[in-house]
Each structure stands twice: as structure tokens, then as C-alpha cells.
Amino acid sequence: MLATTTPAADPTSDVPMLGYAVMDRDHVDSVALLQAACDAPAGELQAPFAAFAKHLREHFARENALMTQHGFFALHCHKDEHARVLKVVATIEAELAEGKEDRARLYVTEHFPDWFHTHLATMDRVTADFLAQVQG
């Protein structure tokens, strides 16, 4: 599991490395920021979630730019998935701004880690392999 409600000694040690440095660094940073959100005390999730959300927007923008630059064959599918996640994240940010934390807690402890694990193993794995090959 990539994030839990129990602090881990090094939550980023569970991040699968894809062998493409920019993506690997973003994934490690994503998990560290996700863990910070998971560890936030009740009533204090808004700031760490905002940092996590900001990072995701930047992370996905970097990936989208790389895929566009190199003509990745599944660009639209992968970009659409990023856009879908960012839409959910924006909704959760709005809820946190209103003091509603329940959905955000569930998202950072269960939904995002499950999605992220699958996304890394599928879309990001194929993307990293493609980028490594074309930049070879």
C-alpha cells in the first residue's frame, strides 16, 4: 500500500521505480505529500491536501508535456485520466475549504493510493518504457 493512516518509517520506499527519472521523482514526491496528508490531525487536512493537489497538477503537467513532446501513442487516454483525477481533487479541495474533511480522508487513505498503484503499474509503466525507448 502506498499510503496508510499509520505513519511509516519511509512511505516512499514502497513506490515502484519505472526507470524514468523525472517520473520516478514525481512519484516519490507524490507519495511523500500523500503521506503528509494522511498524517494530518483532524481539522488540519486542508493545507497538506493543498500541497498534495498542487504537486499533482505540476506532476501531471510534466507527464502530459513529455507525452505530447514525444508523440506518445496513448496520449489522450493518459491525459484524460490525469484530468479526471484533478477534477476529483479540485472537488475535494472545495469541500475542505468548507470544513468538510470526511471525503478527503477517505480519498487520501484509500481511493488515491489504490488508483495510484494501478496507474503506475499500467499507464505510467507503458509511458516510461515508451519515453525511455524514444529517448534511448
Side-chain angles (χ1 to χ4, degrees):
M1 183 149 184
L2 295 174
T4 64
T5 55
T6 305
D10 181 9
T12 62
S13 65
D14 289 339
V15 181
M17 294 292 113
L18 302 177
Y20 195 81
V22 172
M23 292 175 75
D24 286 341
R25 188 173 36 256
D26 270 337
H27 295 153
V28 167
D29 292 347
S30 295
V31 170
L33 289 162
L34 178 66
Q35 190 64 51
C38 288
D39 293 343
E44 297 180 28
L45 181 54
Q46 187 175 5
F49 191 88
F52 170 68
K54 179 180 185 287
H55 166 75
L56 279 185
R57 288 188 290 271
E58 294 166 352
H59 163 177
F60 291 168
R62 275 187 289 279
E63 253 179 54
N64 291 348
L66 283 167
M67 292 186 296
T68 299
Q69 177 185 354
H70 296 287
F72 181 56
F73 60 90
L75 170 69
H76 297 293
C77 177
H78 199 154
K79 279 179 70 173
D80 288 351
E81 187 63 9
H82 288 164
R84 186 191 66 75
V85 168
L86 291 178
K87 186 175 180 180
V88 171
V89 166
T91 299
I92 291 172
E93 283 184 294
E95 290 174 1
L96 283 167
E98 296 174 359
K100 300 175 187 172
E101 215 175 77
D102 291 347
R103 184 168 162 206
R105 287 269 171 214
L106 188 60
Y107 189 74
V108 298
T109 60
E110 293 183 31
H111 295 288
F112 186 85
D114 289 346
W115 173 85
F116 195 57
H117 178 76
T118 301
H119 186 75
L120 261 64
T122 57
M123 289 186 176
D124 279 354
R125 164 57 59 203
V126 172
T127 301
D129 289 350
F130 174 85
L131 292 171
Q133 185 176 23
V134 298
Q135 292 181 331

Short mmCIF file of all heavy atoms in Angstrom, two decimals, residues 1-9 11 31 34-42 45 102 104-111 113:
data_model
loop_
_atom_site.label_atom_id
_atom_site.label_comp_id
_atom_site.label_asym_id
_atom_site.label_seq_id
_atom_site.Cartn_x
_atom_site.Cartn_y
_atom_site.Cartn_z
N MET A 1 0.85 -1.18 0.00
CA MET A 1 0.00 0.00 0.00
C MET A 1 0.89 1.24 0.00
O MET A 1 1.89 1.28 0.69
CB MET A 1 -0.90 -0.04 1.23
CG MET A 1 -1.86 1.08 1.31
SD MET A 1 -3.30 0.44 2.16
CE MET A 1 -4.36 1.81 2.07
N LEU A 2 0.51 2.23 -0.73
CA LEU A 2 1.34 3.42 -0.88
C LEU A 2 1.14 4.44 0.22
O LEU A 2 2.01 5.24 0.47
CB LEU A 2 1.08 4.07 -2.24
CG LEU A 2 1.48 3.22 -3.43
CD1 LEU A 2 1.05 3.89 -4.72
CD2 LEU A 2 2.96 2.94 -3.45
N ALA A 3 0.03 4.44 0.88
CA ALA A 3 -0.20 5.37 1.98
C ALA A 3 -1.13 4.69 2.98
O ALA A 3 -1.98 3.91 2.61
CB ALA A 3 -0.83 6.66 1.47
N THR A 4 -0.91 5.01 4.22
CA THR A 4 -1.74 4.44 5.27
C THR A 4 -2.05 5.53 6.28
O THR A 4 -1.48 6.61 6.24
CB THR A 4 -1.01 3.29 5.99
OG1 THR A 4 0.14 3.85 6.65
CG2 THR A 4 -0.59 2.20 5.04
N THR A 5 -2.92 5.22 7.20
CA THR A 5 -3.20 6.18 8.26
C THR A 5 -2.18 6.04 9.38
O THR A 5 -2.13 6.85 10.28
CB THR A 5 -4.63 5.98 8.81
OG1 THR A 5 -4.77 4.63 9.23
CG2 THR A 5 -5.66 6.32 7.77
N THR A 6 -1.35 5.01 9.34
CA THR A 6 -0.30 4.82 10.33
C THR A 6 1.01 5.29 9.72
O THR A 6 1.39 4.83 8.65
CB THR A 6 -0.17 3.32 10.69
OG1 THR A 6 -1.44 2.85 11.12
CG2 THR A 6 0.86 3.12 11.77
N PRO A 7 1.71 6.21 10.38
CA PRO A 7 2.96 6.71 9.81
C PRO A 7 3.96 5.57 9.59
O PRO A 7 4.13 4.71 10.44
CB PRO A 7 3.48 7.70 10.86
CG PRO A 7 2.30 8.04 11.71
CD PRO A 7 1.38 6.85 11.64
N ALA A 8 4.61 5.59 8.46
CA ALA A 8 5.63 4.60 8.14
C ALA A 8 6.99 5.25 8.27
O ALA A 8 7.12 6.47 8.17
CB ALA A 8 5.42 4.09 6.71
N ALA A 9 8.02 4.43 8.49
CA ALA A 9 9.37 4.97 8.60
C ALA A 9 9.75 5.70 7.32
O ALA A 9 10.30 6.79 7.36
CB ALA A 9 10.34 3.84 8.90
N PRO A 11 7.56 6.03 3.82
CA PRO A 11 6.47 5.62 2.94
C PRO A 11 6.86 5.60 1.47
O PRO A 11 6.25 4.90 0.68
CB PRO A 11 5.37 6.65 3.21
CG PRO A 11 6.09 7.83 3.77
CD PRO A 11 7.28 7.29 4.50
N VAL A 31 3.94 10.44 -3.17
CA VAL A 31 3.69 9.58 -2.02
C VAL A 31 4.07 10.29 -0.72
O VAL A 31 3.34 10.18 0.28
CB VAL A 31 4.42 8.23 -2.17
CG1 VAL A 31 4.36 7.42 -0.88
CG2 VAL A 31 3.80 7.43 -3.32
N LEU A 34 1.29 12.74 -0.11
CA LEU A 34 0.09 11.99 0.26
C LEU A 34 0.19 11.52 1.71
O LEU A 34 -0.77 11.63 2.47
CB LEU A 34 -0.08 10.79 -0.68
CG LEU A 34 -1.26 9.88 -0.38
CD1 LEU A 34 -2.58 10.61 -0.62
CD2 LEU A 34 -1.17 8.63 -1.26
N GLN A 35 1.36 11.03 2.10
CA GLN A 35 1.55 10.57 3.48
C GLN A 35 1.39 11.72 4.46
O GLN A 35 0.79 11.55 5.53
CB GLN A 35 2.92 9.92 3.66
CG GLN A 35 3.07 9.21 4.99
CD GLN A 35 2.12 8.04 5.15
OE1 GLN A 35 2.05 7.18 4.29
NE2 GLN A 35 1.39 8.00 6.25
N ALA A 36 1.88 12.90 4.10
CA ALA A 36 1.71 14.07 4.97
C ALA A 36 0.23 14.39 5.15
O ALA A 36 -0.21 14.73 6.25
CB ALA A 36 2.46 15.27 4.40
N ALA A 37 -0.54 14.24 4.08
CA ALA A 37 -1.99 14.46 4.19
C ALA A 37 -2.63 13.40 5.07
O ALA A 37 -3.47 13.71 5.92
CB ALA A 37 -2.63 14.48 2.81
N CYS A 38 -2.22 12.17 4.90
CA CYS A 38 -2.76 11.08 5.73
C CYS A 38 -2.46 11.31 7.21
O CYS A 38 -3.27 10.98 8.08
CB CYS A 38 -2.17 9.74 5.31
SG CYS A 38 -2.77 9.12 3.74
N ASP A 39 -1.29 11.85 7.49
CA ASP A 39 -0.84 12.04 8.86
C ASP A 39 -1.40 13.31 9.52
O ASP A 39 -1.22 13.50 10.72
CB ASP A 39 0.69 12.10 8.92
CG ASP A 39 1.34 10.77 8.56
OD1 ASP A 39 0.65 9.73 8.58
OD2 ASP A 39 2.55 10.78 8.24
N ALA A 40 -2.06 14.16 8.75
CA ALA A 40 -2.58 15.41 9.30
C ALA A 40 -3.64 15.12 10.37
O ALA A 40 -4.52 14.29 10.16
CB ALA A 40 -3.18 16.27 8.19
N PRO A 41 -3.56 15.81 11.47
CA PRO A 41 -4.58 15.62 12.52
C PRO A 41 -5.96 16.08 12.04
O PRO A 41 -6.07 16.88 11.10
CB PRO A 41 -4.10 16.53 13.67
CG PRO A 41 -2.69 16.87 13.36
CD PRO A 41 -2.53 16.75 11.87
N ALA A 42 -6.98 15.60 12.71
CA ALA A 42 -8.35 16.00 12.39
C ALA A 42 -8.44 17.53 12.43
O ALA A 42 -7.90 18.17 13.32
CB ALA A 42 -9.32 15.38 13.38
N LEU A 45 -6.37 19.02 7.72
CA LEU A 45 -6.06 18.37 6.45
C LEU A 45 -5.96 19.34 5.27
O LEU A 45 -5.29 19.06 4.29
CB LEU A 45 -7.12 17.29 6.15
CG LEU A 45 -6.96 16.47 4.88
CD1 LEU A 45 -5.58 15.82 4.79
CD2 LEU A 45 -8.05 15.41 4.81
N ASP A 102 -14.36 14.57 5.72
CA ASP A 102 -14.58 13.12 5.64
C ASP A 102 -14.19 12.52 4.30
O ASP A 102 -13.48 11.52 4.24
CB ASP A 102 -16.02 12.76 5.97
CG ASP A 102 -16.37 13.01 7.43
OD1 ASP A 102 -15.44 13.21 8.24
OD2 ASP A 102 -17.56 13.01 7.76
N ALA A 104 -12.26 13.75 1.99
CA ALA A 104 -10.83 13.93 1.75
C ALA A 104 -10.02 12.85 2.47
O ALA A 104 -9.06 12.31 1.92
CB ALA A 104 -10.38 15.32 2.19
N ARG A 105 -10.41 12.55 3.69
CA ARG A 105 -9.71 11.49 4.45
C ARG A 105 -9.80 10.15 3.73
O ARG A 105 -8.80 9.44 3.59
CB ARG A 105 -10.32 11.32 5.84
CG ARG A 105 -10.00 12.40 6.78
CD ARG A 105 -8.73 12.12 7.58
NE ARG A 105 -8.41 13.33 8.30
CZ ARG A 105 -7.19 13.72 8.57
NH1 ARG A 105 -6.16 13.01 8.18
NH2 ARG A 105 -6.97 14.83 9.21
N LEU A 106 -10.98 9.82 3.28
CA LEU A 106 -11.17 8.57 2.55
C LEU A 106 -10.36 8.57 1.26
O LEU A 106 -9.76 7.56 0.88
CB LEU A 106 -12.66 8.37 2.27
CG LEU A 106 -13.08 7.04 1.68
CD1 LEU A 106 -12.71 5.87 2.58
CD2 LEU A 106 -14.58 7.03 1.40
N TYR A 107 -10.32 9.70 0.60
CA TYR A 107 -9.58 9.80 -0.66
C TYR A 107 -8.08 9.57 -0.45
O TYR A 107 -7.47 8.80 -1.19
CB TYR A 107 -9.83 11.16 -1.32
CG TYR A 107 -9.28 11.25 -2.72
CD1 TYR A 107 -9.92 10.60 -3.77
CD2 TYR A 107 -8.12 11.95 -2.98
CE1 TYR A 107 -9.42 10.66 -5.06
CE2 TYR A 107 -7.61 12.01 -4.28
CZ TYR A 107 -8.26 11.37 -5.30
OH TYR A 107 -7.76 11.42 -6.59
N VAL A 108 -7.50 10.23 0.54
CA VAL A 108 -6.04 10.10 0.72
C VAL A 108 -5.64 8.76 1.33
O VAL A 108 -4.53 8.30 1.08
CB VAL A 108 -5.42 11.27 1.53
CG1 VAL A 108 -5.63 12.59 0.81
CG2 VAL A 108 -5.93 11.33 2.96
N THR A 109 -6.52 8.15 2.09
CA THR A 109 -6.14 6.88 2.73
C THR A 109 -6.48 5.65 1.90
O THR A 109 -5.82 4.62 2.03
CB THR A 109 -6.80 6.74 4.12
OG1 THR A 109 -8.21 6.78 3.98
CG2 THR A 109 -6.31 7.81 5.08
N GLU A 110 -7.50 5.77 1.03
CA GLU A 110 -7.93 4.59 0.28
C GLU A 110 -8.01 4.80 -1.23
O GLU A 110 -7.37 4.09 -1.99
CB GLU A 110 -9.29 4.10 0.79
CG GLU A 110 -9.23 3.58 2.21
CD GLU A 110 -10.56 3.05 2.69
OE1 GLU A 110 -11.34 2.54 1.85
OE2 GLU A 110 -10.82 3.13 3.90
N HIS A 111 -8.80 5.76 -1.65
CA HIS A 111 -9.08 5.89 -3.09
C HIS A 111 -7.85 6.26 -3.91
O HIS A 111 -7.56 5.58 -4.91
CB HIS A 111 -10.22 6.89 -3.33
CG HIS A 111 -11.52 6.45 -2.77
ND1 HIS A 111 -12.25 5.42 -3.32
CD2 HIS A 111 -12.21 6.87 -1.68
CE1 HIS A 111 -13.35 5.23 -2.59
NE2 HIS A 111 -13.34 6.10 -1.60
N PRO A 113 -4.53 6.08 -3.12
CA PRO A 113 -3.49 5.04 -3.15
C PRO A 113 -3.85 3.86 -4.05
O PRO A 113 -2.98 3.36 -4.77
CB PRO A 113 -3.39 4.60 -1.68
CG PRO A 113 -3.84 5.80 -0.91
CD PRO A 113 -4.93 6.42 -1.75
#
